[in-house]
Amino acid sequence: MDLPTTSKPQAAPVRNETILRTNQLEQELKDSHLREQAYLVMIQIAERDLKIDIRKKSFTK
């Protein structure tokens, strides 16, 4: 008679998935910061070269 064996929880696959997800999120964050810097440079160039105001003035009424 064979008794059913109980499987032990596997911590390694969950840990690997967590590490992979963390790495993915870190890469997305780096990409987001790079995109933000690119937008800021584009705004600066447009304001300087095209002489248009893009940013909102904080003390306007």
Side-chain angles (χ1 to χ4, degrees):
M1 177 162 103
D2 292 331
L3 296 175
T5 58
T6 58
S7 62
K8 295 181 181 178
Q10 297 177 351
V14 173
R15 185 170 189 265
N16 288 338
E17 290 174 11
T18 304
I19 291 171
L20 290 174
R21 180 68 176 146
T22 302
N23 290 340
Q24 179 187 10
L25 291 173
E26 287 175 348
Q27 185 61 43
E28 289 177 13
L29 182 61
K30 288 177 186 177
D31 292 345
S32 176
H33 286 292
L34 184 60
R35 189 177 308 112
E36 177 188 3
Q37 290 301 314
Y39 285 136
L40 290 175
V41 170
M42 284 192 305
I43 289 171
Q44 289 173 348
I45 292 171
E47 287 180 335
R48 182 189 69 215
D49 294 349
L50 302 176
K51 307 281 192 267
I52 56 175
D53 292 330
I54 296 174
R55 294 187 188 119
K56 180 180 177 182
K57 305 293 188 246
S58 60
F59 295 105
T60 59
K61 290 185 179 182

